[in-house]
Amino acid sequence: MRQMRWLGLAAMVFATLTMAQTAPEKTATQNGVSFISGGIGMDSEERLKAREKEFNLKLVFTLVEGNYVADVGVTIKNAAGKTMVEHVADGPFFMAKLPAGAYSVTAAYEGKTQTRKVSVRDGRLHTEHIRWPSNPETDFPLPREKTRK
């Protein structure tokens, strides 16, 4: 009986994780700007890549060593300083469809903020890679490859 409970619990956890990993990312809208985020897992990353043509700004969040990061606070302001989007990215990729123009993009991860000036055009994807140094207490950086002599 106890084994059946554990098997049932394990099946529910597996089903929940599977649904979370395969659930399609949803487009949201703020101030007339459509955006989407995600990219945790290969399926999600592939779905987002397939939708890149719908957007003109793509942000990619990583540690300096290359590890992807999520839960990045994103704020996009237009040239007049109006906030167009405020969102916490669900994964290492964030894409938005903005009116053509100049913007200030602020990304915050673990209390460290970076701001970039970007210019976007209609029909063309502008990609910004935003990187943070790793924290040895919480991050597991990818090992450096050894060079052969």
Side-chain angles (χ1 to χ4, degrees):
M1 184 73 155
R2 196 177 277 175
Q3 185 177 18
M4 291 298 286
R5 284 187 199 161
W6 281 109
L7 287 173
L9 180 61
M12 286 191 311
V13 169
F14 178 76
T16 302
L17 289 173
T18 301
M19 288 184 342
Q21 290 178 348
T22 60
E25 300 72 17
K26 295 190 182 198
T27 304
T29 304
Q30 288 180 13
N31 300 311
V33 176
S34 298
F35 63 93
I36 192 167
S37 67
I40 295 180
M42 290 179 67
D43 290 342
S44 177
E45 186 174 347
E46 288 174 13
R47 284 191 299 270
L48 288 174
K49 187 168 183 72
R51 295 189 60 191
E52 284 181 351
K53 292 179 182 173
E54 299 173 35
F55 304 96
N56 57 1
L57 177 66
K58 178 180 178 182
L59 306 175
V60 181
F61 309 120
T62 65
L63 297 177
V64 172
E65 294 84 358
N67 305 49
Y68 287 138
V69 296
D71 299 325
V72 175
V74 176
T75 303
I76 301 174
K77 294 184 179 187
N78 65 14
K82 178 184 177 193
T83 299
M84 303 300 290
V85 174
E86 275 189 303
H87 177 71
V88 176
D90 298 326
F93 302 101
F94 173 91
M95 295 187 293
K97 173 72 173 156
L98 296 155
Y103 295 89
S104 173
V105 174
T106 302
Y109 175 69
E110 292 189 345
K112 297 176 187 112
T113 302
Q114 295 188 39
T115 301
R116 303 274 175 85
K117 301 290 184 192
V118 298
S119 181
V120 296
R121 298 188 303 192
D122 288 330
R124 187 164 191 193
L125 184 66
H126 176 90
T127 302
E128 283 286 321
H129 293 267
I130 303 176
R131 297 173 178 93
W132 287 269
S134 62
N135 177 348
E137 293 179 21
T138 58
D139 298 321
F140 301 100
L142 298 172
R144 292 189 179 265
E145 291 185 22
K146 294 180 182 180
T147 56
R148 294 182 180 184
K149 293 184 181 184

